């Protein structure tokens, strides 16, 4: 299977599955518990129909949006995700370059595998730094200061991960960083030698944002242990309010799902929120972000930028979210599978495919700008 044979999310997923060892593919692909929320995230879009208008003069279409003071050339961005060099040796370098080429936002994670500073050198375009609230308050302050010094415009604090989700696929293979696999996991690596060669012939794996605080040599940092042992479950609204004041710029909370929390985010001075259930990887059975959009936009959409992620696989999914009031839509697995399959060319092809789908969809909807999308364009089936 070649990259030129990939026309949609499912094609990229199949190509990534052929290349990646099973434990790594499952780390990207899997969700929590029975993966009900993971599946529901995409299914939620299917219960919503688009109602197009015609004869509106759509020769030129403007897909740009402004989010947290940053202008994006299209209304999607690459959500910050962890461990990207595990999927392909280019990792965040590929994503930063592809996002810059398409004029959109990307983010580096606390568990990112290149440094904030390197990401900033690759792309001077819109960028966020996604971080977690650690028990070590000095580490939290250091992360914000480092991001500011690197020239990052916006901070994105993930608030739905004070403990790790129950990701049973990872448990079955013993997935951890550094690798500490069981026999089933090791067998999966043995049958995908091209990935192993790629891994062994490039620079060693690092977590630059954490390497002064987490020992990677002589021990194993499992992802679940990171969430369980390093993150602070006592994090409160007062803690976040202090961070918002200390940062003094665009500050976003990722993982908001309730109206009450959205209102509180606005009250403490946040400039944006991302409706998210972490791709179905945390609380299984939670509501999809798309289903929750309307009531949160109605509650706070006139005060802060409301974004969403989860389950987005098509340009029409993006149009539906924008019509419900989202300012922009985050992509996760949508670009991770192309990254795993083909590195930077894969991410570029995926973003170009999404750009083309959104532009085509807007023309077929009779809209020349994102601002013309509204709930009048939607109908819901019971």
């Amino acid at each position: 299977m070649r990259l030129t044979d990939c026309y949609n999310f499912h094609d990229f997923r199949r190509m990534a599955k052929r290349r990646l060892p099973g434990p790594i593919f499952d780390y990207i692909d899997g969700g929590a518990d029975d993966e009900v929320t993971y599946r529901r995230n995409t299914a939620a879009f299917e219960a919503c129909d688009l109602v197009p208008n015609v004869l509106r003069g759509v020769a030129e279409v403007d897909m740009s949006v402004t989010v947290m003071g940053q202008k994006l050339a299209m209304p999607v961005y690459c959500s910050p995700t962890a461990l990207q060099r595990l999927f392909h040796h280019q990792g965040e370098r590929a994503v930063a370059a592809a996002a810059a080429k398409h004029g959109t936002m990307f983010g580096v994670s606390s568990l990112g595998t290149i440094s904030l500073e390197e990401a900033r050198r690759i792309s001077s375009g819109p960028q966020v730094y996604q971080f977690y609230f650690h028990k070590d308050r000095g580490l939290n302050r250091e992360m914000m200061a480092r991001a500011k010094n690197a020239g990052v415009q916006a901070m994105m604090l993930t608030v739905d991960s004070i403990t790790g989700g129950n990701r049973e696929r990872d448990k079955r293979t013993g997935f951890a960083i550094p690798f500490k696999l069981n026999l089933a996991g090791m067998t999966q690596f043995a049958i995908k030698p091209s990935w192993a060669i790629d891994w062994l012939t490039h620079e060693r794996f690092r977590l630059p944002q954490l390497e002064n605080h987490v020992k990677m040599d002589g021990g194993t940092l499992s992802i679940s242990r990171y969430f369980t042992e390093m993150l602070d479950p006592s994090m409160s609204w007062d803690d976040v309010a202090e961070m918002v004041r200390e940062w003094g710029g665009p500050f976003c909370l990722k993982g908001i799902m309730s109206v009450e929390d959205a209102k509180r985010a606005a009250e403490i001075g946040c400039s944006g929120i991302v409706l998210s259930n972490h791709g179905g990887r945390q609380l299984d059975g939670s509501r999809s972000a798309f289903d929750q959009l309307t009531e949160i936009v109605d509650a706070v959409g006139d005060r802060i930028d409301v974004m969403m992620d989860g389950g987005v696989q098509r340009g029409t999914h993006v149009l539906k979210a924008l019509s419900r009031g989202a300012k922009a839509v985050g992509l996760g697995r949508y670009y991770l599978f192309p990254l795993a399959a083909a590195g930077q060319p894969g991410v570029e092809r995926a973003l170009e495919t999404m750009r083309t789908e959104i532009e085509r969809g807007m023309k077929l909807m009779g809209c020349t700008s994102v601002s013309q999308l509204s709930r009048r364009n939607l109908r819901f089936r019971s």
Side-chain angles (χ1 to χ4, degrees):
M1 188 175 188
R2 298 172 298 177
L3 186 60
T4 52
D5 296 323
C6 294
Y7 298 101
N8 57 46
F9 170 85
H10 302 288
D11 292 339
F12 289 118
R13 182 180 179 275
R14 279 192 293 270
M15 190 171 177
K17 189 172 186 178
R18 292 183 182 185
R19 177 181 179 273
L20 292 176
I24 298 179
F25 175 82
D26 282 336
Y27 174 73
I28 302 174
D29 193 55
D33 292 348
D34 298 312
E35 302 187 351
V36 172
T37 294
Y38 173 25
R39 295 189 297 272
R40 185 181 295 151
N41 281 344
T42 298
F45 292 103
E46 298 169 4
C48 175
D49 295 329
L50 292 166
V51 181
N53 294 308
V54 297
L55 303 176
R56 299 300 171 97
V58 291
E60 299 293 331
V61 169
D62 179 9
M63 292 184 287
S64 66
V65 295
T66 299
V67 178
M68 294 187 295
Q70 303 184 85
K71 186 171 183 179
L72 317 185
M74 57 180 180
V76 295
Y77 62 91
C78 296
S79 294
T81 58
L83 310 179
Q84 291 181 18
R85 285 194 55 244
L86 189 62
F87 316 141
H88 189 278
H89 71 267
Q90 292 179 322
E92 290 90 346
R93 294 169 184 140
V95 179
K101 180 176 179 179
H102 286 276
T104 195
M105 186 169 71
F106 75 103
V108 174
S109 167
S110 294
L111 288 165
T113 54
I114 70 168
S115 70
L116 283 168
E117 293 81 6
E118 182 178 0
R120 187 76 294 191
R121 289 192 295 270
I122 294 171
S123 172
S124 59
Q127 183 177 343
V128 298
Y129 175 45
Q130 176 271 329
F131 70 118
Y132 297 102
F133 192 83
H134 297 86
K135 293 176 182 177
D136 181 349
R137 304 302 171 92
L139 173 55
N140 295 329
R141 290 190 293 271
E142 178 184 312
M143 285 182 163
M144 289 202 297
R146 183 172 178 176
K148 189 166 290 188
N149 291 335
V152 174
Q153 297 99 328
M155 295 295 284
M156 181 180 284
L157 176 65
T158 296
V159 293
D160 64 353
S161 303
I162 55 173
T163 189
N166 180 35
R167 302 173 194 174
E168 294 175 355
R169 293 205 214 182
D170 296 344
K171 291 180 178 179
R172 291 190 181 98
T173 61
F175 179 85
I177 301 297
F179 296 130
K180 191 178 180 181
L181 301 163
N182 58 29
L183 180 60
M186 287 188 287
T187 301
Q188 290 295 312
F189 276 78
I191 63 177
K192 297 293 175 71
S194 61
W195 180 92
I197 293 170
D198 188 53
W199 172 265
L200 293 171
T201 55
H202 290 89
E203 67 195 273
R204 72 178 181 87
F205 184 88
R206 298 169 54 219
L207 297 176
Q209 278 64 249
L210 293 175
E211 59 190 359
N212 293 332
H213 303 271
V214 176
K215 291 187 179 299
M216 293 288 287
D217 298 323
T220 298
L221 170 68
S222 74
I223 303 307
S224 62
R225 278 186 56 224
Y226 171 79
F227 287 109
T228 302
E229 298 179 13
M230 289 195 66
L231 303 191
D232 190 351
S234 70
M235 176 175 60
S236 70
W237 282 104
D238 289 340
D239 293 319
V240 177
E242 183 178 345
M243 299 182 86
V244 171
R245 290 191 297 269
E246 185 174 341
W247 174 249
F251 198 103
C252 175
L253 298 185
K254 180 178 180 291
I256 296 294
M257 288 296 289
S258 73
V259 169
E260 181 182 1
D261 285 348
K263 289 179 177 178
R264 193 70 181 271
E267 289 167 3
I268 66 170
C270 290
S271 41
I273 56 173
V274 180
L275 276 63
S276 175
N277 54 40
H278 218 94
R281 295 163 71 81
Q282 286 295 99
L283 177 65
D284 197 29
S286 62
R287 190 163 168 82
S288 78
F290 178 69
D291 284 336
Q292 195 69 349
L293 253 178
T294 296
E295 58 184 276
I296 290 184
V297 168
D298 288 346
V300 300
D302 59 339
R303 290 186 282 168
I304 57 177
D305 291 339
V306 178
M307 296 158 277
M308 68 141 286
D309 66 30
V312 177
Q313 298 178 2
R314 284 287 188 183
T316 49
H317 295 167
V318 175
L319 296 182
K320 291 174 182 180
L322 297 173
S323 295
R324 291 193 97 168
K327 289 290 182 68
V329 175
L331 307 174
R333 294 179 180 93
Y334 182 88
Y335 77 85
L336 289 178
F337 286 133
L339 170 66
Q344 183 176 335
V347 181
E348 289 183 2
R349 183 173 177 87
L351 290 178
E352 178 59 26
T353 298
M354 179 59 76
R355 189 203 66 80
T356 299
E357 288 189 4
I358 294 172
E359 181 179 27
R360 179 192 303 118
M362 287 181 64
K363 287 183 176 181
L364 292 173
M365 289 290 294
C367 297
T368 58
S369 70
V370 170
S371 62
Q372 293 174 3
L373 292 165
S374 74
R375 294 175 200 172
R376 294 190 301 272
N377 303 124
L378 304 179
R379 295 294 185 275
F380 289 85
R381 283 174 277 116
S382 56

